[in-house]
Amino acid sequence: MGILGGGGFSLPVVSKVDVVDVNIELTETAKAALSASMSGDEDTHVLLISAQSGGCSGYMYDMAIVEEPENTGFQKIVYDGIRIFIHDKDSTMLNGIRVDYKDSLMGGGFQIENPNASKSCGCGQSFS
Amino acid sequence: MLASLVVVGNLSVDTMSISPESHTNIYPVNSSISVMEGQETVSHLNNILSTDITSLVRGGRIDGLICDSNGRVADIISCYHMGQGILITGLGLNTHSTRELLTKGIPWNKEISLLDGNGALEHFKIIGEKSSYLLEKLYPELTKLSENEYSEYANVMFSTGNHNGYQVIDVITRSGNTDFFSRVEESDFEISKKEDWDAARIKIGFPGGNEANAKYLPHDIGMGKLVSLNKGCYPGQEIHARLDSRGSPKKRIVMLSTNIGLEFGKYSLSDGSTVKITSKSKTENLHLSLGICSVDVSNDAKLIIEDVDSKLTLL
């Protein structure tokens, strides 16, 4: 029998990450760009911002416009009719972020400034 | 710096045996033991480690490093694919920081959980020239162990590895496994005291919590082989890639055997360089330390301390 198998043998789950109430800021250019991207789907779709392991600095941002997820662990923030979802597990990493949009051919697009990040990599997609 | 030095005798360190080959022991190791279960655990771990573990499959073992974004080693881990999860052992001193790192970046839409194996499982290492013989005596039922794989028998997991040319057998058992402890008791061998592991790992140059503490690059502590430069992004990858393409390692790990106990900190060497002592331990008649010094250090350099006999070994 293996060391993890067999009836009656189980291990406790390592305690989960802390959860805080998330505040984020959207610049006017980010709001305009998001409204354009939503193109009338605001009632059914949300902006989902998340963070996960990866990248050169440890964690990577992800932003996606998706159909409203059924998962109940999200905090919901509404900006001018745009609903932004951030999962509880990402709340400590993403609390206080400022989402900006730069209209530029080089390095343009949505950008995140994160006061919790001690370091960001050159491309701006990864932080620690 | 040199306060509290303890002279243990007028012995010459050159004439004393410090070879780990001379004894074979079972050492209890202060490790963090965790199990990661769920979807795509190998992929999640691969995003964190500086080592490519995408080839890890059931029955396999891959050793790896966790580095910070500055490329410094934050933990040294072994991953065992157990089928229902990945068993991860790391340095005990880094348990909290490593577990936080492993859990914090789990994607919200992936059902991955980290389980605490400390308490329920115990980790031992067997080191010495008779390590295979010892295991054969304890478990004649086992077939020969292969590197990068593990075997399980009667609630015990066995795996063999190699560090600086020395065979190291990892044994992980359920706590209170009476069969395991009875077999040890009936053999000619015994389980060492917990404090003996430090001396054993220093003898083979295996880093501990004072070396893998986010201050040293993998090459500095003899762990460069666990960096996969072609795997893509991981924390510290930019630093490791730059070091590989534009620079060369500046530091290396050494072992110092002395007739006195050294303190942590920096000491001058006879070749004009310095060594920073990071780990120390005492055997029956010898003090052993691990230190970090310039990669150019001379292998016959001695400590410049009056009445201190020292021998430096490059690792």
Side-chain angles (χ1 to χ4, degrees):
Chain A
M1 183 168 49
I3 60 170
L4 301 182
F9 184 79
S10 64
L11 300 174
V13 176
V14 172
S15 58
K16 291 177 179 165
V17 292
D18 295 334
V19 177
V20 299
D21 288 337
V22 174
N23 284 302
I24 70 166
E25 184 189 343
L26 251 66
T27 64
E28 290 303 319
T29 52
K31 280 183 210 167
L34 273 173
S35 292
S37 300
M38 289 279 198
S39 59
D41 287 338
E42 286 87 346
D43 291 340
T44 54
H45 286 63
V46 303
L47 171 68
L48 200 154
I49 307 177
S50 60
Q52 62 185 65
S53 297
C56 303
S57 294
Y59 302 101
M60 285 190 78
Y61 299 113
D62 188 32
M63 284 177 66
I65 294 171
V66 297
E67 277 192 53
E68 182 174 344
E70 291 176 3
N71 191 305
T72 55
F74 286 98
Q75 297 188 30
K76 300 160 190 175
I77 302 152
V78 182
Y79 263 104
D80 295 347
I82 299 168
R83 291 177 299 156
I84 301 166
F85 277 38
I86 291 179
H87 201 273
D88 277 342
K89 64 161 284 300
D90 296 332
S91 61
T92 53
M93 287 194 279
L94 299 181
N95 183 31
I97 60 169
R98 181 172 181 266
V99 182
D100 192 13
Y101 181 83
K102 290 210 170 108
D103 190 7
S104 165
L105 287 177
M106 292 282 287
F110 288 100
Q111 299 188 343
I112 294 177
E113 292 171 24
N114 190 341
N116 307 304
S118 58
K119 189 180 176 186
S120 296
C121 78
C123 65
Q125 292 184 7
S126 175
F127 68 101
S128 58
Chain B
M1 178 74 73
L2 297 177
S4 309
L5 295 180
V6 180
V7 178
V8 293
N10 295 321
L11 300 162
S12 165
V13 293
D14 287 321
T15 58
M16 285 182 271
S17 170
I18 54 167
S19 167
E21 305 280 315
S22 55
H23 297 97
T24 300
N25 280 322
I26 306 168
Y27 298 95
V29 185
N30 174 27
S31 297
S32 66
I33 308 174
S34 312
V35 177
M36 185 163 265
E37 288 185 341
Q39 306 168 305
E40 301 174 35
T41 47
V42 171
S43 167
H44 174 64
L45 280 172
N46 198 53
N47 285 338
I48 297 169
L49 301 186
S50 60
T51 316
D52 189 347
I53 63 157
T54 51
S55 61
L56 184 63
V57 292
R58 184 175 188 146
R61 163 192 173 159
I62 295 183
D63 296 339
L65 298 178
I66 291 178
C67 293
D68 67 10
S69 56
N70 294 316
R72 269 61 182 175
V73 179
D75 205 356
I76 301 165
I77 67 171
S78 296
C79 300
Y80 304 87
H81 199 310
M82 312 290 291
Q84 69 267 53
I86 312 288
L87 191 146
I88 304 161
T89 60
L91 300 175
L93 276 177
N94 301 332
T95 303
H96 179 74
S97 57
T98 293
R99 284 182 176 169
E100 186 182 10
L101 193 70
L102 293 176
T103 52
K104 210 170 165 185
I106 294 173
W108 68 270
N109 53 353
K110 296 278 187 287
E111 292 293 331
I112 296 177
S113 52
L114 191 71
L115 311 178
D116 179 5
N118 286 101
L121 301 170
E122 288 183 64
H123 189 190
F124 299 91
K125 283 182 187 274
I126 302 173
I127 303 178
E129 66 176 355
K130 292 182 178 174
S131 52
S132 293
Y133 169 76
L134 188 157
L135 194 60
E136 205 177 295
K137 294 293 277 183
L138 291 181
Y139 286 89
E141 305 91 340
L142 272 182
T143 52
K144 195 172 182 292
L145 296 178
S146 307
E147 281 196 35
N148 305 320
E149 290 177 3
Y150 66 85
S151 298
E152 285 185 289
Y153 183 81
N155 291 330
V156 189
M157 192 186 76
F158 308 89
S159 172
T160 184
N162 183 299
H163 189 73
N164 286 335
Y166 299 113
Q167 186 184 29
V168 180
I169 296 175
D170 286 272
V171 178
I172 299 174
T173 177
R174 287 191 189 178
S175 298
N177 181 346
T178 49
D179 177 61
F180 171 73
F181 292 103
S182 302
R183 286 175 188 243
V184 174
E185 207 168 299
E186 289 163 12
S187 74
D188 297 333
F189 301 93
E190 58 185 33
I191 294 174
S192 299
K193 287 180 275 183
K194 277 191 173 177
E195 52 269 30
D196 292 339
W197 165 240
D198 253 347
R201 75 168 180 83
I202 289 173
K203 283 177 188 173
I204 64 166
F206 193 85
N210 285 352
E211 287 83 27
N213 59 356
K215 284 185 182 168
Y216 300 107
L217 292 164
H219 289 92
D220 298 345
I221 57 171
M223 287 289 166
K225 65 181 179 181
L226 296 184
V227 173
S228 305
L229 289 165
N230 298 322
K231 69 170 280 191
C233 282
Y234 61 84
Q237 182 262 344
E238 287 178 339
I239 311 296
H240 297 165
R242 202 178 307 139
L243 188 67
D244 181 64
S245 63
R246 296 188 196 169
S248 55
K250 300 274 189 292
K251 296 173 185 167
R252 70 179 304 158
I253 192 165
V254 296
M255 184 186 68
L256 273 164
S257 43
T258 52
N259 60 335
I260 62 157
L262 301 176
E263 295 296 309
F264 292 119
K266 206 175 262 188
Y267 289 84
S268 296
L269 294 169
S270 56
D271 67 351
S273 64
T274 58
V275 59
K276 186 176 182 184
I277 301 301
T278 50
S279 289
K280 56 182 184 175
S281 186
K282 183 177 177 295
T283 60
E284 284 172 12
N285 51 8
L286 200 58
H287 291 272
L288 301 174
S289 310
L290 282 181
I292 310 290
C293 57
S294 163
V295 74
D296 300 320
V297 68
S298 166
N299 62 0
D300 56 4
K302 302 269 184 191
L303 285 173
I304 310 178
I305 310 174
E306 203 173 333
D307 297 330
V308 171
D309 196 7
S310 67
K311 184 177 189 310
L312 183 142
T313 306
L314 304 178
L315 297 167

